Amino acid sequence: MNPSRARGIQSIEVGGALLRALMDAGGSMALKDLAQAAGMPAAKAHAYLVSFCRLGLIEQPVEGGPYALGPTARELGLISLQQHDPVRLTSEQLEPLAQRLGMTVGLAVWGNQGPTVLRVAHPPAPVHIHLRHGSVLSVADSASGRVLAADRAWDEVGRHWRGQASAGRLILETVQQQGWALSDEALAPGVAAVAVPVHNAAGRVELALVALAPRQQWLESPGRPLGAALEQLLRTAQACSAQLGYTPRRISRSSAASSAGP
């Protein structure tokens, strides 16, 4: 079927302009600005927004405040991403990897709101570090955020360093060179995380594979991740990348001092 020639419902297509405007904005918008971006009067936009809010596609956290994409829209986005082959392929490695490492492992992707956790696997232990799927991580401070941001233009990610451009550029350059990122106590006190990239056939970073553990489990000395666990993460990511059509390159295990979180 050719969607451009088939008969559709015009009102849905008109209302869809509001969803598209919010997606393009990448954040919340006031009614006036949202209506203008969608090319319709504010009163007409409001009627659509009421219905979208009832469906959960859009939400207005504060009455009279700005609108944002709602929980149903976020869930649809996550399901769509999970059906993408790279996600399925890499997700299959999470449970075995969590058992081998004895660490919580997760999969993150660059979403509309930033680095977003898609899948999580916990080690077979009574106590483990909790990471919730759907969580949006810090671009500047999380290991996953740094791995994903290092593959994007500075104009897109630089604002997350809030004026510390030189430090941010150095961090991302280091991540690019060594092929992994460390965040020390960025998620929670006493917790360190290491993330590595999963590349697609074009060489772009499709996903970030991350492992979390108490910092003493990761760090042999300040700023140096535990070698064996890092090597397993790298091998898993490289194997997944190879299946996606990417030829792995040798990744340097240089010091992570400049990429470690504060």
Side-chain angles (χ1 to χ4, degrees), residues 190-221:
V191 174
V194 171
V196 297
V198 175
H199 296 85
N200 59 25
R204 299 299 306 274
V205 175
E206 187 90 16
L207 303 162
L209 183 62
V210 62
L212 304 95
R215 67 190 310 272
Q216 66 268 21
Q217 189 174 345
W218 267 118
L219 305 178
E220 297 173 316
S221 60

Side-chain angles (χ1 to χ4, degrees), residues 148-170:
L148 294 167
D151 191 56
R152 313 183 84 83
W154 177 254
D155 289 346
E156 182 179 357
V157 301
R159 60 187 176 86
H160 294 282
W161 271 267
R162 297 179 291 276
Q164 299 179 342
S166 58
R169 287 180 184 272
L170 179 59

Side-chain angles (χ1 to χ4, degrees), residues 92-190:
E92 292 173 353
Q93 306 300 319
L94 294 186
E95 289 289 348
L97 187 61
Q99 294 196 29
R100 291 198 303 272
L101 295 179
M103 299 177 178
T104 296
V105 296
L107 202 60
V109 68
W110 189 273
N112 289 334
Q113 296 179 317
T116 305
V117 178
L118 290 180
R119 297 283 178 86
V120 179
H122 297 294
V127 178
H128 53 255
I129 295 169
H130 183 68
L131 182 65
R132 184 169 57 88
H133 75 274
S135 298
V136 178
L137 305 174
S138 166
V139 174
D141 297 326
S142 72
S144 298
R146 292 174 178 180
V147 162
L148 294 167
D151 191 56
R152 313 183 84 83
W154 177 254
D155 289 346
E156 182 179 357
V157 301
R159 60 187 176 86
H160 294 282
W161 271 267
R162 297 179 291 276
Q164 299 179 342
S166 58
R169 287 180 184 272
L170 179 59
I171 287 172
L172 297 187
E173 287 173 5
T174 303
V175 171
Q176 288 175 335
Q177 291 169 6
Q178 66 189 16
W180 51 271
L182 165 70
S183 62
D184 189 6
E185 300 190 303
L187 180 66

